[in-house]
Amino acid sequence: MSKHTYKGWDISYNPPPIPVRSCDWIAMHPDYEAWTDEGRWVSNGMCLHAPNKQELLEAIDEWELENA
């Protein structure tokens, strides 16, 4: 697994051992939180997934614009 940052988000490439490639790249904001609510996971939305690095960086840019 490789890891670096972009605009303060931790970026990692960690492809799961399944044939689905849509979540190989992960970005996690420093303020990311997740918790359980009635037996299911809920997050504050500060974790993004993408099939490749370029799409992940674009998703971060879009998230930053929408939540600035």
Side-chain angles (χ1 to χ4, degrees):
M1 174 165 74
S2 61
K3 189 173 184 178
H4 67 283
T5 61
Y6 177 73
K7 294 186 175 183
W9 293 68
D10 289 329
I11 306 294
S12 60
Y13 174 71
N14 190 16
I18 58 175
V20 177
R21 301 277 58 106
S22 62
C23 56
D24 286 357
W25 287 85
I26 304 165
M28 194 172 300
H29 191 276
D31 295 330
Y32 171 71
E33 292 182 1
W35 58 94
T36 58
D37 182 24
E38 297 181 15
R40 61 184 180 91
W41 280 102
V42 180
S43 89
N44 63 359
M46 297 177 147
C47 183
L48 306 172
H49 297 85
N52 60 58
K53 185 178 180 182
Q54 183 59 40
E55 287 185 37
L56 185 64
L57 300 181
E58 290 170 6
I60 291 171
D61 290 338
E62 184 178 320
W63 190 96
E64 294 279 335
L65 282 173
E66 291 176 1
N67 297 283

